Amino acid sequence: MATISDVARLAGLSVSTVSRVINNNPHVIPKKRKLIEDAMQQLGYVPRPAARQLRGSSTNTMAVTIPRIVNPFFSYLVDAIERTLDEAGYTTIIVQTFSRPEEELTALKMLRNQQVDGVILCSIENPWSVIQPYLQYGRIVLVNEYLADVPVPIIRANQYQGFYNATEFLLQHGYTKLAYATGRKQVALAENGVNFDSDRFSGFQSALNSIGKVRFNPHWLFTNAHTATDGKLILQKIIASPDKPDAILAGSDEVALGLLEEAQAQGVQIPAQLAVLGVDDQPSSSFLKIPLTTIRQPVDQMGSAAAKAMVAALQDQAVTLPQIFPLEIVKRASV
Amino acid sequence: MATISDVARLAGLSVSTVSRVINNNPHVIPKKRKLIEDAMQQLGYVPRPAARQLRGSSTNTMAVTIPRIVNPFFSYLVDAIERTLDEAGYTTIIVQTFSRPEEELTALKMLRNQQVDGVILCSIENPWSVIQPYLQYGRIVLVNEYLADVPVPIIRANQYQGFYNATEFLLQHGYTKLAYATGRKQVALAENGVNFDSDRFSGFQSALNSIGKVRFNPHWLFTNAHTATDGKLILQKIIASPDKPDAILAGSDEVALGLLEEAQAQGVQIPAQLAVLGVDDQPSSSFLKIPLTTIRQPVDQMGSAAAKAMVAALQDQAVTLPQIFPLEIVKRASV
DNA sequence: ATAAATTTTGAAAACGATATCAAATTCTAT
DNA sequence: ATAGAATTTGATATCGTTTTCAAAATTTAT
């Protein structure tokens, strides 16, 4: 492996000058610059990131945390983020947290260790009090989820309004016994402000109270629902219960798919016996046996906005204003 | 940030001894080891990867290259790889290549720069002659795709046999005018042995010749097909052409989905007018309006086997034997 | 008790880059 | 032509580890 000294020797100049060329410092005379560039070319020289990092310069690398890459919502989000960062000259590292706080810390530690210039959190697994201290080491941007009153750029969809509208939509269609599924372990208020899922959940509840004048039946809350298999299990539970809901907000198209499949297997009529509302609008959702009514999230826009906010944050000191995108109901046959 | 010297000072010992504790070298007396561990604890000390890398020790990090993370086949493959590597104590870096050779080189350069201990290639974008030199810097494992006669572990599915069987399956069902779609830019022999897509393609052609005694019509070859939108376009081309195929091997469930959707929009009967065969068996494929007949790939097994082969390669010198998994036809309604 | 062998420890030299600061060179003005 | 200013260059310290290699401490053998 060629090092900076090899280049310096071949070019007949000092490492300082070579370093200047690498970092395009203007104080190098064109003739010598050319000499050095040729030498770098000839040796196939590439600066070693470890050495630069150790010396404390920027890494041009960003970490992005997501719960699971196999969730299409997150794979599309990451894809949008990565494409935008790529244009700005940054490399992206994807960190799957599997919803574990420790794994989120792994990403944050990369910030502290100067392995990355910033981290984009697409889900939040730790209380803000543990995330906050890492702000001194670099930039943090929140996408998709959010916390109130934290001094970082936040890009998100209006989950409250979206779920309020979706609930209103269900109520208007005559459903009153609404079930609710979520990937969360529990639905509760976060330590420092309102978080993602309770945002969805409060939009849901608020519409239920103010429009439907109905109280939510806690037996119809299903947590920890991620996959189609989880959806199937939920449907089985619904069938087995004495007091059955007549509609369900499924939390994702994946879970909705399982619900739909199991409903067919069990002879449950959709939407007559149970209306199903997904979230995400995956490519296949329009072409299912029962085309899925779902809430579309503006994932490309959010991803790209998040990446841009990060790049902006890295360049100047100003914190980008919070950006909030609307959710849209895509009406099909499952409601 | 606490450094190794801070720990040494607090423990009243030298950095050498601290380093020995970090790397659990046996030559440290238990009492002092305890002293140092306490100091590390108290300062929240974590060694800086950049410094260790610079010094040339192993990184416990692996790069995995894939064309696009939004392709479910690859997101599941990466997921399986990452889970297995995680158990073995390795961190995974995902590199999207977008099928660009330069991006694949980015991953290979991480090997040379000692940013990673190995790279797992899930697709091959460069000729072996350019990949080969990087073998001197670390381990390389090939998954999903393969090259003949290269000295690295290869984990793959039997694409030739799978596509031979699938073609036989179509022929047995009475289809003779078979079209073929692929994500590749072209279908051709690779520089150094047979590659992935021509493997699929030769299985296809070989069955066509030996069983069907039919010649493939090159007008029915569709390249560069990745998304559902691409599938829709292909169906439109098929409709517009004078000599229409009666079946198509779609290359992926995503493309098949587009084919199916557009067929419905255009009033083309599936499978009566056109049989559609997907690849991947995505979760939603069984529940489409027209349940998709597809070729299932053992993605979890392959991912996990690849990760294990990499870990083994890193530990001893022996190259894992090539592993080849069978493809399975999942019969549903689109054929 | 002493010498030899063994174990445990520490000082200092890497690793490959960047940044400071002073020296050398070139340019400008008289 | 010469002093002074401005520009370009290079020597060297530094970042935080690991790894020699030799010194110090301990154990074992005589």
Side-chain angles (χ1 to χ4, degrees):
Chain A
M1 279 298 13
T3 73
I4 196 172
S5 337
D6 298 329
V7 175
R9 201 171 312 121
L10 180 60
L13 292 161
S14 75
V15 292
S16 322
T17 309
V18 177
S19 177
R20 286 191 188 93
V21 171
I22 295 170
N23 299 281
N24 42 66
N25 177 310
H27 296 297
V28 178
I29 214 165
K31 196 178 64 185
K32 300 195 173 166
R33 180 181 296 274
K34 178 76 171 59
L35 226 49
I36 288 170
E37 280 166 349
D38 288 349
M40 296 201 306
Q41 181 76 44
Q42 187 180 329
L43 295 170
Y45 169 77
V46 185
R48 269 193 65 175
R52 313 184 82 172
Q53 281 175 228
L54 184 56
R55 204 56 186 67
S57 71
S58 74
T59 64
N60 275 23
T61 302
M62 228 76 86
V64 180
T65 69
I66 51 167
R68 311 162 46 234
I69 193 67
V70 295
N71 179 324
F73 171 76
F74 289 109
S75 71
Y76 278 95
L77 186 59
V78 161
D79 189 62
I81 292 173
E82 177 159 359
R83 282 172 191 275
T84 308
L85 286 179
D86 207 47
E87 284 169 19
Y90 290 92
T91 302
T92 305
I93 291 180
I94 303 168
V95 179
Q96 290 198 73
T97 65
F98 303 106
S99 299
R100 294 198 296 254
E102 322 85 81
E103 305 289 338
E104 183 172 88
L105 282 179
T106 308
L108 261 7
K109 281 181 186 153
M110 296 178 94
L111 199 61
R112 190 186 60 174
N113 293 334
Q114 298 178 48
Q115 298 186 86
V116 298
D117 297 345
V119 3
I120 299 180
L121 299 174
C122 299
S123 76
I124 304 175
E125 310 298 345
N126 285 284
W128 179 249
S129 55
V130 356
I131 299 174
Q132 163 93 51
Y134 289 91
L135 256 183
Q136 63 185 293
Y137 306 119
R139 299 294 182 169
I140 296 178
V141 167
L142 262 35
V143 207
N144 180 45
E145 285 192 79
Y146 79 106
L147 297 169
D149 300 321
V150 299
V152 297
I154 296 179
I155 282 79
R156 62 180 180 115
N158 197 334
Q159 304 286 346
Y160 177 91
Q161 190 63 47
F163 269 61
Y164 187 99
N165 293 349
T167 307
E168 182 177 31
F169 174 84
L170 288 171
L171 293 168
Q172 282 171 349
H173 282 71
Y175 303 101
T176 52
K177 303 163 75 172
L178 309 189
Y180 186 95
T182 172
R184 287 309 172 103
K185 293 185 192 67
Q186 58 196 17
V187 176
L189 290 180
E191 174 185 313
N192 189 357
V194 182
N195 83 353
F196 177 69
D197 219 309
S198 63
D199 236 25
R200 286 186 169 186
F201 194 65
S202 31
F204 167 67
Q205 283 203 302
S206 161
L208 223 47
N209 296 336
S210 63
I211 307 169
K213 316 283 184 207
V214 200
R215 280 273 297 291
F216 176 59
N217 179 342
H219 288 110
W220 298 336
L221 175 64
F222 301 95
T223 52
N224 244 321
H226 294 104
T227 64
T229 307
D230 296 334
K232 291 186 180 183
L233 261 34
I234 291 174
L235 193 110
Q236 288 168 6
K237 283 187 197 152
I238 288 179
I239 290 179
S241 76
D243 190 12
K244 297 181 182 58
D246 57 11
I248 180 165
L249 284 99
S252 74
D253 279 12
E254 274 188 293
V255 172
L257 172 68
L259 251 3
L260 258 28
E261 273 193 281
E262 190 66 12
Q264 200 192 43
Q266 306 277 350
V268 173
Q269 295 298 315
I270 308 279
Q273 289 175 266
L274 184 72
V276 175
L277 187 63
V279 180
D280 288 347
D281 195 23
Q282 290 180 206
S284 62
S285 294
S286 60
F287 201 70
L288 298 178
K289 275 182 196 166
I290 301 155
L292 185 64
T293 298
T294 190
I295 302 174
R296 180 184 295 152
Q297 308 208 58
V299 44
D300 282 350
Q301 293 170 57
M302 283 167 55
S304 158
K308 283 177 184 152
M310 174 56 90
V311 172
L314 248 17
Q315 280 163 2
D316 40 62
Q317 301 296 74
V319 170
T320 312
L321 293 175
Q323 289 179 55
I324 186 157
F325 293 89
L327 252 33
E328 177 193 354
I329 298 174
V330 182
K331 167 123 187 62
R332 293 198 273 251
S334 68
V335 171
Chain B
M1 280 298 11
T3 72
I4 197 172
S5 337
D6 297 330
V7 176
R9 200 171 313 122
L10 181 61
L13 291 161
S14 74
V15 292
S16 323
T17 309
V18 177
S19 176
R20 286 191 188 93
V21 170
I22 295 170
N23 300 283
N24 41 67
N25 177 310
H27 296 297
V28 178
I29 214 163
K31 197 177 64 184
K32 301 195 173 167
R33 180 181 297 274
K34 179 76 170 59
L35 226 49
I36 288 169
E37 279 165 352
D38 288 349
M40 295 200 306
Q41 180 76 42
Q42 187 180 328
L43 295 170
Y45 169 77
V46 184
R48 271 192 63 176
R52 312 185 83 171
Q53 281 175 228
L54 184 56
R55 204 56 186 68
S57 71
S58 77
T59 63
N60 276 21
T61 302
M62 227 76 87
V64 180
T65 69
I66 51 167
R68 310 161 48 233
I69 193 67
V70 296
N71 179 324
F73 171 75
F74 288 109
S75 70
Y76 278 94
L77 186 59
V78 162
D79 190 60
I81 292 173
E82 177 158 0
R83 283 172 190 275
T84 308
L85 286 180
D86 208 47
E87 284 169 19
Y90 290 91
T91 301
T92 304
I93 291 180
I94 303 168
V95 179
Q96 291 198 73
T97 65
F98 303 105
S99 299
R100 293 198 297 254
E102 321 85 82
E103 306 289 337
E104 183 172 89
L105 282 179
T106 308
L108 261 6
K109 280 181 188 156
M110 296 177 93
L111 198 62
R112 192 187 56 174
N113 293 334
Q114 298 180 48
Q115 298 187 85
V116 299
D117 296 346
V119 3
I120 298 180
L121 299 175
C122 300
S123 75
I124 303 174
E125 310 298 345
N126 284 284
W128 178 249
S129 54
V130 354
I131 299 175
Q132 163 92 52
Y134 289 90
L135 257 182
Q136 62 186 294
Y137 305 119
R139 299 295 182 171
I140 296 177
V141 167
L142 261 35
V143 207
N144 180 45
E145 286 193 80
Y146 79 105
L147 296 169
D149 299 322
V150 298
V152 297
I154 296 178
I155 282 79
R156 61 179 179 116
N158 196 335
Q159 304 286 347
Y160 177 91
Q161 191 64 47
F163 269 62
Y164 187 98
N165 294 349
T167 308
E168 182 177 30
F169 174 83
L170 287 171
L171 293 168
Q172 282 170 350
H173 282 71
Y175 303 101
T176 51
K177 302 163 76 173
L178 309 189
Y180 186 95
T182 171
R184 288 308 171 103
K185 293 184 193 66
Q186 59 197 17
V187 176
L189 291 181
E191 174 187 312
N192 190 356
V194 182
N195 83 353
F196 178 68
D197 218 310
S198 64
D199 237 25
R200 288 185 167 186
F201 194 64
S202 29
F204 167 68
Q205 283 203 302
S206 160
L208 222 46
N209 296 336
S210 63
I211 307 169
K213 316 283 183 205
V214 200
R215 281 274 296 290
F216 176 60
N217 178 344
H219 288 110
W220 297 337
L221 175 64
F222 301 95
T223 52
N224 243 320
H226 295 103
T227 64
T229 307
D230 296 334
K232 291 186 180 185
L233 262 33
I234 291 174
L235 193 110
Q236 288 169 7
K237 282 188 197 151
I238 289 180
I239 291 178
S241 76
D243 191 12
K244 300 183 181 54
D246 57 10
I248 179 165
L249 284 100
S252 74
D253 279 12
E254 275 188 290
V255 171
L257 172 68
L259 250 5
L260 258 28
E261 274 193 282
E262 189 65 13
Q264 199 192 43
Q266 305 277 350
V268 174
Q269 296 298 315
I270 307 278
Q273 289 175 266
L274 183 72
V276 176
L277 187 63
V279 181
D280 287 346
D281 195 24
Q282 290 180 205
S284 62
S285 294
S286 61
F287 201 71
L288 298 177
K289 276 182 196 167
I290 301 155
L292 185 63
T293 298
T294 190
I295 302 174
R296 179 185 294 152
Q297 309 207 58
V299 45
D300 282 351
Q301 293 171 55
M302 283 168 56
S304 159
K308 282 177 184 151
M310 174 57 89
V311 172
L314 248 18
Q315 280 163 2
D316 40 62
Q317 301 296 75
V319 170
T320 312
L321 293 175
Q323 290 179 55
I324 186 157
F325 293 89
L327 252 33
E328 177 193 353
I329 298 173
V330 183
K331 168 126 188 60
R332 294 199 272 250
S334 69
V335 172

